[in-house]
Amino acid sequence: MDRYERMCSGDREAATRPVSEVWEEDAKARAETRTIVQLIEREAHVVADSYQNSGTVYHVLRAIDDNYRRWKPEQMLAAANVCVAISACNARPEIRCRAWKEKANALREMGQLHAALRALVLADDAASDTYEPAYHRAIVTYARGAVFHDMGRYEACLATFKEARAVFTVYHDRDRERSVDYFAVSILYCLGLYEEALDAYRKLLAQAIACHDDAQTWLQHGNVAHCYARLGDVTSARIHYAIAAAGYEQLGYEKDHAKMLRSLGRLEVRNRGFAGLAAMSVAREAFAALKMQGESVQTEIATIEELLAYDPNADVSSMCVEVVARAMAVGMKPAAIIHQKIDAKPRSAADGEYSSPN
């Protein structure tokens, strides 16, 4: 149990009540949680208003943490909705804050970026009422930075990461400091500083292997592969992608496995053009099955980018028009090259204007 979990648990209140009463309520909460998790894993749907036990929300939040990589985004959202519903009635502000943050995380995974930001506003409101508001608001700020990252707002992302990390340092939260540092390295990649990013990811990969941390090992294999791909070393990229894909599949991490399938698909399109589209279709179908709208759009954008890398004169105008509309709908900023390809062809008034969201 880390510092955040201790703050969100009911330990302080429980200390003033009869032990038998606390145990009985906790047993009920655990039983409810098992039922909720079973429903989520079977149907990805729970009637949130059916549960009112304030202790249940804490155990469901733990379940979200335990299953973060394994659950589909819609399952995460269903669990978060239960937490939000229960915490609105009788939970402490620390719990309300965490419930809304987890809902924002699920919405981000689903590509609903504007909705994720709205959820974080409510998380921030709850954080302000906690007994350590600076710390809880920093956790919300970090989550907001992740949304900015997915929106392509990298300067805002870095600013929020810097703000959050300073607070984590004050509170000696080393785990979250490291988490911010891991995420911040990805900004180097996003800004095109691939050699610097590769050096950083190699070090993180070595650390993960030394610590026998499988999840981090596959993550860093994928990150190293991304850098190799951008630097033109297709052979090394394919090796690291394949290692990551196999590792994620073994762990049952469907979301991450789909991302590696997309990366392998990018290499196919980059080297074969339209003949390699079948590999990207596999990735797109995987994201569609997971109901990850944002990742599906990212896959379409990646397909266009790789087609243009293979042949700068490829006719992708109609693909561009369609994907920009879908990207804007979920709050993403399509790559500038896609806008350029759209602007390069005559447009009727019906095509509309395409501007990046603020």
Side-chain angles (χ1 to χ4, degrees), residues 178-327:
R178 283 192 292 270
S179 182
V180 172
D181 292 341
Y182 289 161
F183 215 145
V185 173
S186 71
I187 304 299
L188 295 174
Y189 176 88
C190 292
L191 294 175
L193 303 174
Y194 304 126
E195 292 184 356
E196 291 90 335
L198 177 59
D199 288 341
Y201 284 136
R202 279 173 170 166
K203 292 176 182 177
L204 293 175
L205 174 58
Q207 292 171 12
I209 292 173
C211 294
H212 305 287
D213 187 334
D214 287 343
Q216 273 295 318
T217 296
W218 311 139
L219 173 64
Q220 301 311 333
H221 268 297
N223 287 333
V224 166
H226 291 328
C227 296
Y228 276 129
R230 289 296 184 183
L231 291 169
D233 188 344
V234 175
T235 300
S236 295
R238 186 175 283 114
I239 290 171
H240 284 278
Y241 281 141
I243 292 172
Y248 282 137
E249 186 173 27
Q250 185 177 10
L251 290 175
Y253 292 179
E254 294 181 85
K255 295 176 289 187
D256 299 292
H257 181 243
K259 291 178 181 179
M260 292 302 100
L261 292 179
R262 176 174 61 202
S263 296
L264 286 166
R266 292 189 74 138
L267 295 181
E268 286 297 304
V269 177
R270 186 177 303 180
N271 287 290
R272 301 175 59 205
F274 284 97
L277 290 181
M280 288 298 265
S281 295
V282 172
R284 188 165 57 250
E285 289 169 5
F287 286 124
L290 293 169
K291 296 186 178 179
M292 298 179 72
Q293 185 179 6
E295 294 296 342
S296 294
V297 173
Q298 288 280 20
T299 303
E300 294 180 64
I301 293 174
T303 301
I304 294 170
E305 289 175 344
E306 298 304 342
L307 285 171
L308 293 172
Y310 179 80
D311 177 7
N313 296 315
D315 184 5
V316 294
S317 297
S318 60
M319 296 173 65
C320 289
V321 172
E322 294 173 3
V323 75
V324 167
R326 282 193 285 274

